[in-house]
Amino acid sequence: MDRIIEPELMEEEEQGQAYAQADFSGPNKQFLALFAAKFPDFLGNGRVLDLGCGPADILVRFARRYPDCACVGIDGAEAMLAPGRRVIEQEKLSRRITLRCQCLPFAGNEDCFQAILSNSLLHHLHQPQVLWQTISGCTAPGGAILIMDLFRPGSIESARQIVDTYAGNESKILQADFYNSLLAAFRVGEVRSQLQQTGLKLRCEEVSDRHLAIWGTRSW
Ligand SMILES: C[S@@+](CC[C@H](N)C(=O)[O-])C[C@H]1O[C@@H](n2cnc3c(N)ncnc32)[C@H](O)[C@@H]1O
């Protein structure tokens, strides 16, 4: 089954609200657990960048887990950032988490992030190289990189089954977005080719029945 791309940005207000109200605690906790497992020596006192951060739930969890870091979240859709801005204000994290409405690719004039995070952005990108180029330009030497995303199932039927299993109780908007995301996602072999083309020495493996992870430290 070939990849079927979806729009890059999630710009509809209803999309932002549906996404922020949905329960992503499972995958988001898994993201944090993966980071802690892959980078046990991370000091937690540097600058952290989340690419395609959406409502910033992962950054909020990250900032609580590593209380000495300063976080920046970037997303091209204000509709997705708006619910995150409210939570950050309520949680009194405004001095530690900054959200910017900005699209990838962007020139890395600040190549000093000690950790780069990204969850569920890669499958949105029509040109996936923009993610790898951005990471190349923004990671400090020795910086930790963790990307998590869906991978594309073997058939339309499998995609439908995954939506029923994991989003059966969610809104119709969310179910449609999830289905489209599964069809747009890359597989491990495709991601490894992208990494090879860009010269990034990162590992890529499946980490659940629907997610893959890409991780490593900057050694280039
Ligand atoms: C599925 S959401 C994931 C949000 C968040 N990372 C999470 O895990 O909850 C993907 C996000 O990537 C953003 N996005 C897609 N293409 C982008 C681009 N080229 N530049 C910046 N943000 C982008 C979308 O607007 C959307 O908010």
Side-chain angles (χ1 to χ4, degrees):
M1 186 174 69
D2 287 341
R3 181 179 188 226
I4 302 171
I5 56 169
E6 61 173 342
E8 287 207 352
L9 299 180
M10 296 172 64
E11 294 184 287
E12 305 296 327
E13 201 175 315
E14 302 79 50
Q15 249 180 339
Q17 279 166 5
Y19 200 90
Q21 282 162 11
D23 182 9
F24 287 109
S25 57
N28 291 357
K29 280 183 193 161
Q30 186 192 7
F31 188 98
L32 268 280
L34 258 181
F35 187 90
K38 302 298 181 198
F39 305 105
D41 299 330
F42 178 66
L43 296 174
N45 56 358
R47 298 180 70 218
V48 176
L49 176 64
D50 185 344
L51 297 168
C53 64
D57 184 60
I58 286 182
L59 267 193
V60 168
R61 289 172 191 270
F62 198 92
R64 285 197 198 115
R65 167 75 176 73
Y66 299 100
D68 295 325
C69 66
C71 305
V72 176
I74 283 179
D75 198 290
E78 185 53 42
M80 290 293 278
L81 292 172
R85 292 191 199 285
R86 288 193 285 274
V87 172
I88 288 166
E89 188 79 28
Q90 281 158 17
E91 299 278 324
K92 304 200 185 324
L93 285 169
S94 311
R95 286 166 61 187
R96 296 194 45 226
I97 305 180
T98 307
L99 299 186
R100 289 195 216 148
C101 191
Q102 190 174 354
C103 274
L104 270 69
F106 58 89
N109 58 348
E110 39 187 352
D111 54 343
C112 57
F113 287 93
Q114 278 72 33
I116 307 276
L117 317 176
S118 184
N119 184 49
S120 279
L121 166 69
L122 177 61
H123 72 264
H124 278 274
L125 299 174
H126 297 179
Q127 302 293 335
Q129 295 303 342
V130 303
L131 175 60
W132 311 122
Q133 284 156 6
T134 303
I135 287 173
S136 256
C138 291
T139 315
I145 298 155
L146 176 63
I147 315 296
M148 197 165 94
D149 210 315
L150 299 165
F151 66 81
R152 193 166 74 255
S155 65
I156 295 279
E157 292 70 37
S158 307
R160 290 213 175 96
Q161 211 163 30
I162 292 171
V163 173
D164 285 349
T165 304
Y166 294 105
N169 295 326
E170 300 289 358
S171 66
K172 292 288 169 217
I173 293 184
L174 201 92
Q175 289 184 4
D177 276 349
F178 188 21
Y179 176 75
N180 292 334
S181 295
L182 285 163
L183 302 194
F186 294 101
R187 295 191 176 133
V188 167
E190 294 166 340
V191 174
R192 286 182 184 158
S193 303
Q194 293 164 20
L195 294 170
Q196 209 166 20
Q197 280 165 25
T198 334
L200 294 193
K201 293 186 180 63
L202 301 175
R203 291 186 59 183
C204 177
E205 305 283 351
E206 290 181 9
V207 291
S208 82
D209 62 350
R210 61 202 187 284
H211 293 108
L212 55 76
I214 302 137
W215 74 94
T217 50
R218 178 174 172 174
S219 58
W220 56 88

